[in-house]
């Protein structure tokens, strides 16, 4: 519990600084994500986007600042990674790792919210409820045709979607997605934007991405990070008209 | 119900395996006991014992495949669980000898009288009761696996380090069992058994029955292993094998899963050892030899790890080759075994069943 601070935000960051050997990866970062929102975070390489994710998920402790979740109910700077994951913050890393020798469906089954201990898992049966959850997930990630395919045989893009599906299977309140379209074809990039929009109907999402066409496709509020703090915030048209943003991106 | 559910998951290779082993369990004893000697259909007494040994080895291989093939735990000490099960059975067999021993001591086995011991060590208490011995056959290997796994898996010892630890454990046990003061017969081990549950160990009908029991144990072990690997827990095991960190990341306590499968596997290996001992008539510390455990790994590799039936097939094929070669060219066997391992690793990395029979395995038979 934090000391009496109130906020309506699902995720609340204020005055967050992280330094590595004197180098400020995050510098007085402030960010508010409303419940149900999808937010795109952009910024040049080294802007601190991944470090921000690390702070939210408990992988990195900030030197200063507040990181609050769920209307200020949880102080994330005091919790470990497993607890934060259990609170309902799911994270997708840049590099996809799926269980290659399992089918797509079995990958999702393993990720579904269910008891995780040995004997319940040994005794677990396929239930109608589980099937309904899986059908729902397949409808979202659009991998129905690959249901019985071994995940190792999926394309790069499909693996990313499967991984997003596995994240979704755990039904988190907030999804953090780091560079989902890196290495994807244009068609896959478009599909991924559609996927995130579908997910956003029922979940809050923070997506970090370089690809401006993709961010435009998402059509959501954009936050531009630069040298560890917020440089600009607004619609994609607003931020791309911002002179400082243009300099940061073109001046590299 | 369970049988039905399981049967629905079996592929062609597995149905064939079940049919063959069940058939052998009936036909070999019949052919041995009812067919006249000299008949084409007669199975010799020596062959019954030989086939019985193979069944036990096949069960050992199956147990190893469960941990190695499905969970990626390469145990180089599974022979230790087999030997411990064997010793537990041997202790029962020793105590049932009673006054029929050379020294005619009702309580103490011969080797203890020979060592001038006056009292039965507590480790031997209750072993005259078969039920207790049968329990120890499973409990002793199970507890060793639990303790070993508890420490190793919790400290995240994996890969080659885990293999080395298991190998060291079996070697240490071999040295310990060599010592007379351990009270397990020293380097002579336990032998000169008389009867088991009132039946003469040497009698042909007993041997035929032991063969049939070994075949049934193999089937039972297969059913248990298949039920495990085709459950959701089986999915988790393979997930651990292929991407351990990721499995942990989605919330599974990897060390608990490893511990579970390691203990189950050790118990299976112990049962195999217990059935082996009355058939060969002796158990001594050489059963703990590190080479035995490595040989078992080769059986599984040859047959195809992660296939269960392949492990059993590999055990039988390699041992058939061994029987034949050690008779024909005794000095060559170790070289052949080594070459076999290298060739399989290079040219048949998925083993015989993994390469040729994968299509015919049931759900989740192999990669
Ligand atoms: N563990 C670390 N140790 C030292 N420097 C780091 C560490 N993690 C990140 N950094 C540095 O912090 C800055 C921000 O990195 P990062 O958050 O990965 O940026 P982005 O994801 O926006 O490309 C970079 O200059 C990076 O080199
Ligand atoms: Mg990054």
């Amino acid at each position: 519990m934090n000391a009496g601070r109130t906020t309506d935000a699902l995720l609340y960051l204020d005055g967050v600084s992280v330094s590595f050997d004197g180098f400020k990866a995050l510098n007085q970062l402030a960010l508010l994500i409303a419940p149900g929102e999808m937010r795109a975070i952009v910024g040049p390489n080294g802007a601190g986007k991944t470090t921000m994710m690390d702070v939210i998920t408990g992988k990195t402790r900030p030197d200063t600042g507040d990181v609050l979740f769920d209307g200020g109910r949880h102080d994330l700077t005091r919790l470990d990674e497993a607890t934060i994951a259990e609170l309902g913050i799911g994270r997708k890393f840049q590099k996809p790792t799926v269980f290659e020798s399992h089918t797509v469906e079995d990958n999702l089954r393993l990720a579904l919210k269910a008891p995780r201990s040995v004997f319940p898992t040994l005794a677990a049966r396929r239930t109608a409820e589980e099937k309904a959850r899986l059908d729902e997930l397949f409808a979202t990630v659009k991998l129905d045709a690959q249901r019985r395919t071994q995940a190792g045989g999926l394309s790069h893009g499909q693996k990313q979607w499967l991984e997003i599906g596995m994240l979704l299977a755990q039904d988190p309140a907030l999804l953090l997605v780091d560079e989902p379209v890196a290495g994807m074809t244009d068609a896959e990039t478009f599909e991924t934007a559609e996927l995130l929009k579908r997910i956003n109907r029922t979940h809050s999402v923070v997506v970090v991405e370089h690809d401006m066409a993709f961010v435009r496709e998402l059509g959501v509020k954009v936050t531009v990070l630069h040298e560890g703090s917020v440089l600009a915030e607004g619609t994609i048209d607003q931020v791309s008209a911002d002179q400082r943003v243009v300099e940061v991106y073109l001046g590299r | 119900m369970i049988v039905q559910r399981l049967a629905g998951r079996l592929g062609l290779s597995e149905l064939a395996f079940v049919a063959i082993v069940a058939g052998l369990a009936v036909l070999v004893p019949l052919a041995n006991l009812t067919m006249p000697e000299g008949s084409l259909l007669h199975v010799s007494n020596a062959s019954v014992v030989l086939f019985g040994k193979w069944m036990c080895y096949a069960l050992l291989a199956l147990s190893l495949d469960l941990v190695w093939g499905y969970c990626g735990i390469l145990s180089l000490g599974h022979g230790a669980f087999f030997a411990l099960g064997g010793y537990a059975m041997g202790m029962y067999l020793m105590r049932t000898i009673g006054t029929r021993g050379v020294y005619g001591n009702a309580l103490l086995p011969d080797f203890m009288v020979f060592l001038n011991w006056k009292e039965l060590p507590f480790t031997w208490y209750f072993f005259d009761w078969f039920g207790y011995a049968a329990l120890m056959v499973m409990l002793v290997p199970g507890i060793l696996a639990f303790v070993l796994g508890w420490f190793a898996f919790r400290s995240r010892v994996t890969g080659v380090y885990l293999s080395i630890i298991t190998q060291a454990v079996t070697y240490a046990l071999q040295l310990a069992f060599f010592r007379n003061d351990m009270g397990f017969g020293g380097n002579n081990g336990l032998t000169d058994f008389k009867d088991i549950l009132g039946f003469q160990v040497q009698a042909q009908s007993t041997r035929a029955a032991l063969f049939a029991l070994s075949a049934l144990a193999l089937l039972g072990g297969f059913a248990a292993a298949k039920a495990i690997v085709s459950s959701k827990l089986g999915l988790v095991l393979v997930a651990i094998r292929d991407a351990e960190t990721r499995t942990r990341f989605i919330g599974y306590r990897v060390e608990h899963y490893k511990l579970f499968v390691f203990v189950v596997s050790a118990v299976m290996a112990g049962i195999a050892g217990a059935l082996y001992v009355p058939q060969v008539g002796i158990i001594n510390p050489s059963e703990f030899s590190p080479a035995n455990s490595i040989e078992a790994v080769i059986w599984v590799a040859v047959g195809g790890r992660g296939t269960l039936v392949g492990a059993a097939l590999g055990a039988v094929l390699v041992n058939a080759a061994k029987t034949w070669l050690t008779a024909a060219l005794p000095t060559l066997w170790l070289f052949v075994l080594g070459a076999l391992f290298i060739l399989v690793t290079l040219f048949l990395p998925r083993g015989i069943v993994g390469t040729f029979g994968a299509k015919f395995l049931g759900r989740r038979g192999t990669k």
Side-chain angles (χ1 to χ4, degrees):
Chain A
M1 287 294 151
N2 86 93
R5 194 179 299 266
T6 55
T7 172
D8 295 334
L10 178 68
L11 186 66
Y12 173 105
L13 278 76
D14 193 27
V16 175
S17 295
V18 173
S19 50
F20 298 110
D21 307 319
F23 172 80
K24 288 215 158 188
L26 293 182
N27 188 6
Q28 295 293 318
L29 177 68
L31 184 75
L32 286 180
I33 307 291
E37 184 182 354
M38 171 146 68
R39 176 74 59 92
I41 312 268
V42 302
N45 253 325
K49 303 179 300 286
T50 299
T51 307
M52 182 195 77
M53 297 269 204
D54 289 345
V55 166
I56 297 168
T57 52
K59 193 174 170 211
T60 301
R61 295 254 174 268
D63 304 328
T64 60
D66 295 318
V67 184
L68 307 176
F69 181 60
D70 196 11
R73 261 184 280 278
H74 304 281
D75 179 354
L76 299 184
T77 61
R78 289 155 187 250
L79 305 174
D80 67 0
E81 289 173 275
T83 316
I84 292 173
E86 260 168 58
L87 281 180
I89 298 183
R91 176 175 186 179
K92 196 199 122 357
F93 287 90
Q94 277 176 245
K95 186 177 167 288
T97 33
V98 296
F99 302 119
E100 307 241 324
S101 53
H102 282 323
T103 63
V104 170
E105 179 172 302
D106 283 341
N107 267 273
L108 288 177
R109 266 188 88 203
L110 282 174
L112 277 184
K113 227 179 176 165
R116 290 289 198 251
S117 44
V118 171
F119 293 101
T121 308
L122 179 62
R125 298 281 160 239
R126 296 166 175 275
T127 59
E129 194 191 333
E130 183 188 85
K131 186 171 180 306
R133 278 286 290 138
L134 286 173
D135 288 344
E136 204 178 299
L137 283 169
F138 274 111
T140 308
V141 297
K142 299 253 166 84
L143 287 172
D144 232 337
Q146 284 77 29
R147 227 172 158 130
R148 308 231 174 273
T149 310
Q150 283 191 345
L154 296 179
S155 73
H156 172 72
Q158 290 170 328
K159 279 184 192 169
Q160 294 279 21
W161 300 332
L162 173 56
E163 174 133 339
I164 293 174
M166 289 169 75
L167 193 60
L168 216 49
Q170 296 163 71
D171 204 19
L174 173 66
L175 274 87
L176 306 177
V177 189
D178 202 354
E179 302 203 20
V181 300
M184 280 192 183
T185 64
D186 287 352
E188 286 175 333
T189 300
F190 176 79
E191 279 297 324
T192 306
E194 294 301 309
L195 169 59
L196 289 178
K197 284 194 253 180
R198 278 196 298 279
I199 289 172
N200 182 228
R201 285 185 210 143
T202 44
H203 298 79
S204 307
V205 182
V206 172
V207 49
V208 161
E209 191 46 72
H210 275 304
D211 187 322
M212 280 304 174
F214 170 75
V215 172
R216 186 172 292 280
E217 192 61 50
L218 287 178
V220 297
K221 187 170 171 183
V222 179
T223 297
V224 185
L225 282 196
H226 179 54
E227 291 177 355
S229 43
V230 175
L231 182 68
E233 219 164 55
T235 65
I236 183 79
D237 291 325
Q238 284 167 344
V239 300
S240 38
D242 189 311
Q243 197 51 43
R244 290 169 308 163
V245 175
V246 174
E247 272 168 27
V248 163
Y249 266 91
L250 299 180
R252 281 187 299 152
Chain B
M1 172 76 179
I2 287 174
V3 170
Q4 226 171 26
R5 187 151 53 208
L6 220 53
R9 284 178 180 164
L10 298 186
L12 214 57
S13 316
E14 288 156 332
L15 287 173
F17 169 80
V18 171
I20 290 170
V21 177
L24 287 176
V26 178
L27 295 179
V28 167
L30 271 183
N32 173 244
L33 297 174
T34 62
M35 291 295 154
E37 238 164 285
S39 146
L40 260 183
L41 294 174
H42 179 74
V43 174
S44 75
N45 297 356
S47 301
V48 172
V49 172
L50 188 65
F51 296 162
K53 273 169 63 174
W54 291 354
M55 292 295 129
C56 298
Y57 288 149
L59 182 56
L60 172 62
L62 201 75
S63 77
L64 184 59
D65 193 26
L66 191 58
V67 287
W68 183 33
Y70 289 87
C71 199
I73 303 168
L74 175 51
S75 166
L76 291 181
H78 251 51
F81 303 127
F82 183 86
L84 286 171
Y87 264 96
M89 176 59 85
M91 286 160 79
Y92 161 76
L93 295 170
M94 287 305 271
R95 293 219 45 197
T96 53
I97 295 172
T99 52
R100 289 167 295 175
V102 176
Y103 297 106
N105 190 309
L107 189 63
L108 298 185
D110 276 353
F111 75 89
M112 293 185 192
V113 183
F114 183 76
L115 289 172
N116 248 326
W117 290 11
K118 299 292 172 228
E119 275 169 43
L120 194 70
F122 75 94
T123 43
W124 284 75
Y125 289 177
F126 311 119
F127 267 98
D128 50 336
W129 182 40
F130 183 82
Y132 177 80
L135 193 67
M136 289 300 126
V137 159
M138 296 185 274
L139 223 49
V140 173
I143 289 174
L144 175 67
F146 187 88
V147 173
L148 190 63
W150 178 267
F151 289 110
F153 301 143
R154 261 165 53 104
S155 354
R156 307 210 177 155
V157 177
T158 54
V160 73
Y161 299 100
L162 189 93
S163 304
I164 292 170
I165 289 179
T166 52
Q167 176 97 117
V169 165
T170 196
Y171 186 56
L173 283 168
Q174 183 181 21
L175 296 183
F177 274 73
F178 262 128
R179 298 166 56 100
N180 280 328
D181 53 10
M182 275 284 285
F184 298 110
N187 63 351
N188 295 322
L190 313 176
T191 189
D192 287 333
F193 308 135
K194 298 285 188 271
D195 49 32
I196 179 167
L197 286 171
F199 300 99
Q200 273 195 312
V201 171
Q202 308 278 349
Q204 204 43 47
S205 55
T206 312
R207 293 200 154 154
L210 282 168
F211 167 84
L213 279 176
S214 305
L216 290 180
L218 177 59
L219 282 181
F222 172 72
K226 187 69 190 172
I228 289 172
V229 303
S230 51
S231 73
K232 189 174 172 190
L233 182 139
L235 286 182
V236 178
L237 296 182
V238 173
I240 292 170
R241 179 191 74 188
D242 292 351
E244 181 166 335
T245 320
R246 176 80 172 118
T247 314
R248 194 170 276 132
F249 194 74
I250 49 176
Y252 294 97
R253 290 210 183 269
V254 166
E255 57 277 16
H256 292 181
Y257 282 81
K258 286 184 171 177
L259 195 57
F260 170 79
V261 74
F262 196 53
V263 170
V264 170
S265 166
V267 170
M268 274 168 73
I271 293 171
L275 285 160
Y276 176 84
V277 166
Q279 299 185 74
V280 296
I282 183 167
I283 172 87
N284 62 33
S286 69
E287 289 302 332
F288 285 107
S289 133
N292 279 17
S293 296
I294 293 172
E295 235 178 87
V297 169
I298 298 176
W299 307 337
V300 178
V302 168
R305 71 191 150 117
T307 63
L308 297 181
V309 291
L313 180 72
V316 172
L317 287 182
V318 174
N319 277 292
K322 182 179 185 173
T323 304
W324 175 69
L325 254 176
T326 44
L329 302 152
T331 48
L332 265 183
W333 171 242
L334 272 182
F335 294 101
V336 171
L337 191 67
L340 187 65
F341 189 55
I342 293 168
L343 289 177
V344 164
T345 312
L346 287 180
F347 300 111
L348 269 189
R350 300 168 65 195
I352 296 170
V353 172
T355 307
F356 305 109
K359 279 198 290 287
F360 308 111
L361 291 169
R363 275 172 22 90
R364 253 174 256 147
T366 184
K367 287 209 187 199

